[in-house]
Amino acid sequence: SDTVSSRVAVWNLQRAFIKSNRPDEYLETSASVMSVAFHPIVPGILLAGTFSGELLAWNFGAEEGAERAISIVLASSLHREAITQITFSYDPLQDDYKALTVSSEGTLAMWQFKKPDNALIFPLAVWNMVPASPAASIGTVHAHKSQKKKPLGLTCLDVERVVAEGGGNRWRDRGVFMVGSEAGGVFKCFLDYSKVRTKVKGSDWEE
C-alpha cells in the first residue's frame, strides 16, 4: 500500500501571468495521486484518484472561506488498488454528467454528484471488467491462460463523445467507451443508463 503523502498543484489559466514553478493551489493528499479530471461543465470541481484506490474531490467554486473538499460516500466493494483513470459520461436520463473511474484491480465505478450544490459524491454502481468472450480477449493473447478469465487490470478509459445540439462547450456520448488493460488489450464497452440503479438510502450505497 502507498502511505506516502502527496499533493496536487493547480494553476489558474485565466491569470494574465502564469509561473510554472508557482501554482495557485496546493491540495494535500494522504497517498500518491495517479489520475485527475475536471468536471466538463462545472470547471471548479476537480477529482483525483490515488494509488491506494481512494477518490478525492474538491470544489473551487465554493464560497471564499467555505470548506472546498467534497464529501465522498464510500463502499467496501469499491477500488482496492490504484485509480488509473477518471473521466465523465453524459447521462441522458438525468441530463447531467457522471464520473467514471477505473483501477488496476479491474473495477469500473460510476459516481454521481448530489444536487444542487455538488457537496457530496456517491457511487451508483461498480462492475468487474472481465472479457465477455474469447474474441474480446484478443488483446490479452500474451497473458497466461490463468489470467484471461480474471478481471482486467485497467490502465486507461475514455468515452466516445459527440458535440451536443446547439454546439457550445457541451457534449454528449452514446454510452460507448473504451478501456485499456495491463496486458495490452483495448476493449469496446457499452453502458445503458436505463439499467443503472440510482436508488440511494441515506448515506449508504446500495449495490
Side-chain angles (χ1 to χ4, degrees), residues 112-133:
Q112 177 171 318
F113 289 90
K114 184 178 180 180
K115 305 297 182 182
D117 56 1
N118 297 313
L120 178 74
I121 182 172
F122 57 87
L124 290 179
V126 178
W127 297 273
N128 287 322
M129 304 296 287
V130 180
S133 66

Side-chain angles (χ1 to χ4, degrees), residues 28-160:
E28 302 294 332
T29 66
S30 59
S32 298
V33 172
M34 305 296 291
S35 53
V36 295
F38 280 97
H39 193 286
I41 61 172
V42 188
I45 292 180
L46 172 65
L47 302 184
T50 71
F51 184 85
S52 59
E54 183 182 10
L55 180 67
L56 306 174
W58 298 271
N59 185 2
F60 293 98
E63 295 179 4
E64 190 68 27
E67 178 59 57
R68 289 189 298 180
I70 298 176
S71 298
I72 308 288
V73 175
L74 296 177
S76 59
S77 59
L78 290 183
H79 304 306
R80 299 179 301 276
E81 297 182 11
I83 296 178
T84 53
Q85 185 80 52
I86 304 171
T87 192
F88 285 84
S89 175
Y90 175 71
D91 179 358
L93 300 181
Q94 296 188 347
D95 189 30
D96 69 355
Y97 292 85
K98 305 292 194 295
L100 300 176
T101 56
V102 292
S103 64
S104 54
E105 90 273 4
T107 57
L108 165 68
M110 175 182 289
W111 306 78
Q112 177 171 318
F113 289 90
K114 184 178 180 180
K115 305 297 182 182
D117 56 1
N118 297 313
L120 178 74
I121 182 172
F122 57 87
L124 290 179
V126 178
W127 297 273
N128 287 322
M129 304 296 287
V130 180
S133 66
S137 303
I138 188 169
T140 62
V141 64
H142 297 297
H144 188 273
K145 63 181 181 180
S146 64
Q147 301 296 318
K148 292 185 178 181
K149 293 185 179 180
K150 292 185 177 181
L152 300 165
L154 303 178
T155 58
C156 53
L157 160 75
D158 204 1
V159 299
E160 179 184 291

